[in-house]
Amino acid sequence: MKVVKFGGTSMESSQSIRRIIDILQHKYSQGEKFIVVSSAMSGVTNLLTQLSEQAATGINFKDELKDLEKRHFTVIKDLIEVKYQNPVLTQIKIYINELEDLLQAVLNLRELSLQSKDFILSYGEKCSTFLLSQIAKQYFPNSLFVDTSTLIKTDDYFGNAKVDFPETEKRIQEFYTNNKDKILFATGFIASTKDNRITTLGRGGSDYTAAILAASIDADEIELWSDVDGMLTADPKIVKKAFPLAEVSYTEAMELSYFGAKVIYPPAMIPAISKKIPITLKNTFNVDFKGTQIKETVQKNSYPIKGISSIDHVSLVNVTGSGMIGKVGFSGKLFSLLARENINVILITQSSSEHSITFAIEPQDISKAQEVFNREFELEIETHKLNPLTVEENLSILAIVGENMKQTPGISGKFFHALGRNGINIHAIAQGSSEYNISVIIKNKNISKALNAVHDVFFIELTKTLHVFNVGTGNIGSTLFKQIEKQSKYLRENNDIEVKIVGISNSRKMFINEDGIDLENWKNILEESGEKVTLEKFTEKIKQLNLSNCVFIDNTASPETSKFYQQLFQSNVSVVTCNKIANSSSFDEYNLLRNTARKRGVDFFYETNVGAGLPIIRTLKDLMTSGDQIIKIEAILSGTISYIFNNFKGDATFHDVVKKAQELGFTEPDPRDDLSGKDFMRKMMILSRELGNPTEERDIKLGEILPESCIKAPTVEAFYEELKKSEDYFNQIKKQAENNNQVLRYIGKLENGEATVRLEMVDCNHPFYNLTGSDNIISFTTERYKSNPLVIKGPGAGAEVTAAGVFADLINVGAN
């Protein structure tokens, strides 16, 4: 025997009710026995609530009531043969007329009591269940409509009545014994007092009805059919990667449902638990899916938690004062007072000093709580033994739940790290000694971000999503998009990382899509759908969206972009940049950015500032982190200068080599921008700062490559003329090197706290002797690499390698 309950979405329309009949026919053909419980049609209970409240303020309800009648009539005409329609239409009409009379009475009196409201709401279930029973009668002639208000007896706490279980079980058992040959179609949600006044069992009460019936007749199983695939790891409307759980224990289901998982009404668990009846959560619109089974014991799985739930709107009340310390029974008195006023306390936490108690309640109960507190503790407040209540509003509760938590160390650390890294402040924490649940209270505006961040951390078999906002769509930016698109599958399968480009901006337009931008078509999307942009507007949008695991990528050389890094860090957004302006400005600015990122728990990665795609900064950090001592760093960090001096040999003139480099695109339009050594010097300054030195640009000794006449030439053409005139100077230093079996190299050096960049001659024993092409190279001489320095060499410029360096930094954010 099963008790099968269908929710409001399952009863929504002719099409969905047809699905219910198909489900029941299949069960019947398999020899299953069942009792059916149904809710009101989707939206009807809300509508009846609205109409009753409107009537109490004098607003007419007749048009909406007519639409409600028409909705039921449409289903009758769609699903019941014409010859059987009249009795059904008549009964629905009787119900609607009774409902109209009740609403009219409310309108006349301008008064709506909880008792009247329950009576009005009961007609939603009466209409839908009677309708379903009559449709089913065409297929199951022994179908019988049951008004459960005649069977389930409660107290007179209208709106959320408490069940009298002994009396209810006796009535249900007697009725069931007398109708064993029938298929019962029972109304959910409604009951009655001992003197037959209609009550309701709270929103979600149809689940409760099904469980009460099942426990009373010792059913084998309860099936709750809705429009979701069972109990999920999180709310799928907020967490797109949420997935259904095959099974959960009674305890886990109770905790999840209490903290906002709406797939089951928490009180419905109690009758099922008392008789150890399994509950299966099924989807009317996905019949073949097995759903979730809730039972006493479940198999262990690899996940440390079962799910994440949230209660969206709560207020936090703080009780403080010295009068609480050591006072036996204070907490008991406080919460008894709240209970007496029917104020539901959702969460409680107390300091070990007994100086404060914090609890969460629903916002609508705040004024009542303040009133009862001020009344009962008036003397203590006047004598300053207790302080007036303080209230924090616009909060939510986030809870992680699972029986595995007790045996898994580090759960709290993971949980709080995920929240902290995403800039989510915790206002209160509660954890029971059973360790099935850790609950935190956070700002309501952060709930979506928090749910996604925590879900990514605990369900490690899923990919972690990085929400990326990219500024700059030139060579590096567009190349990066190609690389991400090409590697996306590999990253998901091997690194459990999904890179989702959600924002793109250039100097003219920006486009943002939370679901991700198609990287095959980003240019057209930006051009056709983008809006006019300012960096302020783009940055503000990033902060407003408040997505989890956010990364800002700066693929520009603009001094303006770096001005926004600080506020991005303060909003817990990581920054990856190939723009070296921020790190080569004042040391104070450089230090402020690093410290802010560290304090906010986010990443600031800029590997490409120094060596494009070469892992220079990362290697230096690894050496220092592992305790190695840096003795000396030597480097060639300009691809342009590297090419020029690698090719300035034999009969080649300096003029011709520079001219060739410009033709190949290795130099800026004015080659002096490269040959000045300024860009190289800034890279060395960044390296010096990474070593911990407060280096400013003025602290670096920069040796000139060019004679003063070349530097001061008024045009590029004049510059080349001066190069020809200075050929003797260049040939002289080249000849000197050749005579000593040496080569010319423009080398940056960090040693003994000093930084220099100058032209040097090195012999075959130097690691830079055999450098070719436009490669960059760096040599680390350390305590561990003293006799044989650690050398990194490779391309130091170009869109492909620079984009690859940015990409690597982005993946490191994901790894963190």
Side-chain angles (χ1 to χ4, degrees):
M1 169 58 67
K2 291 183 180 180
V3 177
V4 185
K5 172 257 172 178
F6 293 96
T9 52
S10 304
M11 294 291 298
E12 186 171 23
S13 63
S14 300
Q15 186 179 6
S16 58
I17 293 173
R18 177 71 253 180
R19 288 175 180 271
I20 291 175
I21 298 300
D22 290 342
I23 290 166
L24 297 178
Q25 282 185 297
H26 177 73
K27 288 181 176 297
Y28 192 79
S29 69
Q30 298 296 309
E32 289 186 25
K33 293 181 179 180
F34 49 83
I35 293 173
V36 179
V37 176
S38 68
S39 300
M41 285 184 169
S42 180
V44 168
T45 302
N46 287 340
L47 176 63
L48 293 177
T49 300
Q50 176 190 326
L51 294 183
S52 60
E53 291 170 353
Q54 286 179 355
T57 59
I59 299 174
N60 197 287
F61 52 82
K62 292 192 176 179
D63 288 343
E64 290 93 339
L65 203 58
K66 197 70 182 171
D67 290 340
L68 183 62
E69 177 184 275
K70 184 180 177 182
R71 186 174 172 188
H72 287 84
F73 280 8
T74 298
V75 174
I76 293 168
K77 291 171 182 176
D78 286 347
L79 299 180
I80 296 180
E81 290 184 50
V82 175
K83 60 184 178 181
Y84 300 126
Q85 286 180 9
N86 273 345
V88 188
L89 290 166
T90 301
Q91 183 59 57
I92 295 296
K93 183 65 178 174
I94 291 169
Y95 283 146
I96 297 295
N97 288 343
E98 290 173 357
L99 189 51
E100 184 177 6
D101 291 342
L102 285 168
L103 289 168
Q104 188 62 50
V106 172
L107 184 70
N108 293 339
L109 293 169
R110 298 291 196 276
E111 181 183 31
L112 178 65
S113 67
L114 288 173
Q115 181 179 345
S116 300
K117 191 174 182 180
D118 273 2
F119 200 3
I120 291 167
L121 296 184
S122 71
Y123 279 89
E125 266 70 16
K126 288 177 184 176
C127 288
S128 64
T129 308
F130 176 75
L131 180 61
L132 180 61
S133 70
Q134 300 310 297
I135 294 167
K137 192 173 279 190
Q138 299 170 107
Y139 308 94
F140 318 111
N142 57 340
S143 297
L144 177 65
F145 169 64
V146 183
D147 182 347
T148 51
S149 66
T150 63
L151 302 178
I152 300 176
K153 290 297 173 179
T154 68
D155 63 11
D156 60 0
Y157 185 62
F158 297 99
N160 193 8
K162 305 298 182 289
V163 176
D164 179 347
F165 280 102
E167 178 64 22
T168 295
E169 284 194 2
K170 186 177 77 172
R171 284 172 173 266
I172 291 172
Q173 288 166 1
E174 184 179 336
F175 184 86
Y176 177 66
T177 301
N178 294 333
N179 293 280
K180 276 193 170 179
D181 58 333
K182 302 288 196 303
I183 296 178
L184 305 181
F185 285 80
T187 55
F189 181 55
I190 60 176
S192 67
T193 62
K194 290 180 181 179
D195 53 356
N196 299 320
R197 291 178 293 160
I198 295 295
T199 58
T200 61
L201 302 176
R203 295 305 292 267
S206 293
D207 292 352
Y208 200 7
T209 302
I212 292 166
L213 289 170
S216 298
I217 64 170
D218 291 320
D220 298 305
E221 187 177 0
I222 302 165
E223 285 184 357
L224 304 179
W225 292 77
S226 65
D227 60 347
V228 293
D229 286 336
M231 188 166 277
L232 279 72
T233 51
D235 184 346
K237 293 175 184 173
I238 300 174
V239 181
K240 299 239 173 106
K241 289 187 281 189
F243 59 91
L245 299 161
E247 57 181 21
V248 295
S249 69
Y250 289 131
T251 304
E252 290 169 334
M254 184 74 83
E255 295 277 359
L256 287 167
S257 59
Y258 178 78
F259 284 100
K262 298 177 180 66
V263 74
I264 187 169
Y265 183 49
M269 304 288 298
I270 298 165
I273 292 170
S274 68
K275 295 291 182 74
K276 298 182 181 178
I277 302 171
I279 303 170
T280 303
L281 308 177
K282 300 275 286 179
N283 189 345
T284 308
F285 306 95
N286 187 11
V287 178
D288 294 331
F289 192 80
K290 288 184 177 181
T292 302
Q293 189 167 68
I294 304 168
K295 53 188 181 180
E296 187 177 23
T297 56
V298 296
Q299 292 182 347
K300 287 187 178 179
N301 60 35
S302 58
Y303 299 122
I305 68 170
K306 271 288 172 69
I308 310 161
S309 282
S310 62
I311 300 175
D312 280 347
H313 298 287
V314 300
S315 294
L316 198 61
V317 181
N318 297 295
V319 183
T320 59
S322 58
M324 298 161 54
I325 300 173
K327 188 167 182 180
V328 177
F330 178 84
S331 299
K333 181 180 179 182
L334 172 63
F335 293 115
S336 294
L337 290 170
L338 296 173
R340 193 175 70 199
E341 296 294 326
N342 293 312
I343 297 172
N344 180 38
V345 177
I346 304 167
L347 176 149
I348 304 167
T349 182
Q350 182 173 13
S351 68
S352 57
S353 67
E354 299 183 25
H355 186 265
S356 68
I357 296 176
T358 300
F359 56 91
I361 60 177
E362 294 182 353
Q364 62 265 29
D365 290 330
I366 286 294
S367 58
K368 200 192 301 184
Q370 287 176 319
E371 181 184 333
V372 70
F373 182 82
N374 292 338
R375 184 177 65 243
E376 295 292 337
F377 297 104
E378 182 179 4
L379 181 60
E380 288 88 343
I381 294 171
E382 285 182 0
T383 57
H384 304 293
K385 290 182 178 179
L386 288 178
N387 300 316
L389 293 183
T390 58
V391 178
E392 297 178 66
E393 300 190 85
N394 301 314
L395 302 173
S396 292
I397 296 178
L398 177 71
I400 57 171
V401 173
E403 291 185 346
N404 279 358
M405 288 166 57
K406 194 166 187 176
Q407 291 84 31
T408 310
I411 295 293
S412 299
K414 270 188 172 184
F415 186 30
F416 299 135
H417 176 74
L419 296 175
R421 185 172 170 82
N422 282 278
I424 299 165
N425 188 40
I426 297 170
H427 293 249
I429 302 168
Q431 180 176 15
S433 58
S434 64
E435 296 186 46
Y436 290 142
N437 167 329
I438 303 174
S439 308
V440 296
I441 295 183
I442 62 175
K443 286 286 186 189
N444 182 256
K445 67 179 182 179
N446 288 325
I447 194 65
S448 174
K449 185 188 206 178
L451 281 165
N452 280 281
V454 173
H455 197 272
D456 266 3
V457 164
F458 282 108
F459 296 101
I460 55 175
E461 291 181 12
L462 301 176
T463 56
K464 178 185 290 182
T465 301
L466 297 178
H467 294 100
V468 179
F469 296 84
N470 181 90
V471 175
T473 58
N475 285 339
I476 296 170
S478 55
T479 304
L480 175 65
F481 295 156
K482 288 178 187 174
Q483 292 177 354
I484 291 172
E485 183 189 3
K486 184 178 179 182
Q487 286 297 105
S488 58
K489 182 180 178 183
Y490 178 88
L491 287 174
R492 282 194 300 271
E493 292 177 354
N494 295 276
N495 296 69
D496 298 323
I497 292 174
E498 179 183 10
V499 176
K500 189 180 283 187
I501 304 291
V502 294
I504 297 176
S505 172
N506 56 26
S507 59
R508 295 174 296 106
K509 289 187 174 183
M510 74 173 190
F511 181 77
I512 291 174
N513 183 351
E514 287 184 60
D515 295 324
I517 298 169
D518 178 8
L519 292 183
E520 285 188 356
N521 198 32
W522 68 267
K523 284 185 181 177
N524 290 333
I525 292 170
L526 184 62
E527 191 59 38
E528 294 169 11
S529 303
E531 55 182 297
K532 286 185 178 179
V533 68
T534 62
L535 280 168
E536 290 89 348
K537 187 177 180 181
F538 191 64
T539 307
E540 200 55 41
K541 189 68 177 174
I542 295 171
K543 292 190 282 186
Q544 286 172 7
L545 285 173
N546 203 24
L547 299 174
S548 62
N549 305 323
C550 269
V551 187
F552 177 87
I553 297 182
D554 180 5
N555 279 322
T556 73
S558 167
E560 294 303 311
T561 318
S562 60
K563 293 176 182 177
F564 293 89
Y565 293 176
Q566 177 71 5
Q567 58 178 279
L568 287 164
F569 290 143
Q570 289 172 338
S571 298
N572 284 79
V573 178
S574 293
V575 173
V576 170
T577 180
C578 64
N579 184 345
K580 67 175 74 68
I581 288 174
N583 284 322
S584 59
S585 60
S586 72
F587 179 78
D588 287 344
E589 176 69 15
Y590 162 88
N591 213 32
L592 175 65
L593 292 176
R594 282 166 51 91
N595 288 337
T596 305
R598 186 173 65 252
K599 287 175 183 176
R600 301 298 295 191
V602 292
D603 292 312
F604 182 29
F605 289 150
Y606 40 86
E607 183 65 73
T608 52
N609 279 194
V610 173
L614 298 181
I616 292 173
I617 291 176
R618 194 170 303 123
T619 301
L620 177 58
K621 285 183 176 178
D622 287 346
L623 289 169
M624 294 171 67
T625 303
S626 67
D628 203 351
Q629 298 296 311
I630 309 298
I631 297 170
K632 180 173 65 174
I633 296 175
E634 293 179 288
I636 296 175
L637 298 174
S638 166
T640 302
I641 296 175
S642 178
Y643 174 85
I644 289 169
F645 283 106
N646 288 341
N647 288 276
F648 182 44
K649 55 189 177 181
D651 296 332
T653 67
F654 197 75
H655 168 278
D656 290 347
V657 173
V658 173
K659 193 75 172 173
K660 182 69 173 178
Q662 186 177 31
E663 290 169 2
L664 292 172
F666 289 152
T667 74
E668 296 293 329
D670 187 338
R672 287 173 293 185
D673 291 341
D674 298 289
L675 290 167
S676 69
K678 289 284 181 69
D679 184 65
F680 188 172
M681 178 187 69
R682 292 188 185 104
K683 294 177 180 180
M684 293 304 296
M685 180 170 63
I686 293 170
L687 279 177
S688 180
R689 289 173 172 181
E690 292 296 305
L691 283 172
N693 302 317
T695 308
E696 301 287 3
E697 192 171 306
R698 63 178 176 271
D699 299 325
I700 298 178
K701 297 175 183 176
L702 180 63
E704 302 285 357
I705 295 174
L706 300 172
E708 190 173 346
S709 60
C710 297
I711 295 170
K712 291 185 174 180
T715 64
V716 175
E717 290 76 13
F719 159 70
Y720 276 114
E721 286 301 319
E722 290 299 327
L723 276 186
K724 285 182 179 178
K725 293 177 185 177
S726 304
E727 207 57 59
D728 286 346
Y729 164 76
F730 291 111
N731 283 334
Q732 184 179 350
I733 57 176
K734 178 175 69 171
K735 189 172 182 181
Q736 182 184 348
E738 289 174 347
N739 289 341
N740 295 323
N741 293 318
Q742 294 176 316
V743 291
L744 294 169
R745 298 288 183 258
Y746 195 60
I747 297 173
K749 188 180 293 184
L750 294 171
E751 190 174 15
N752 298 323
E754 289 191 357
T756 60
V757 180
R758 65 190 180 195
L759 192 62
E760 295 188 28
M761 300 178 190
V762 299
D763 61 24
C764 60
N765 295 314
H766 197 282
F768 296 176
Y769 181 82
N770 291 314
L771 193 66
T772 58
S774 60
D775 281 356
N776 281 0
I777 191 167
I778 188 163
S779 166
F780 296 100
T781 303
T782 74
E783 284 296 329
R784 294 176 192 153
Y785 296 93
K786 189 179 286 185
S787 58
N788 193 12
L790 174 63
V791 176
I792 300 171
K793 171 186 167 186
E800 284 289 340
V801 293
T802 304
V806 172
F807 197 1
D809 276 349
L810 178 60
I811 300 311
N812 279 325
V813 175
N816 285 349

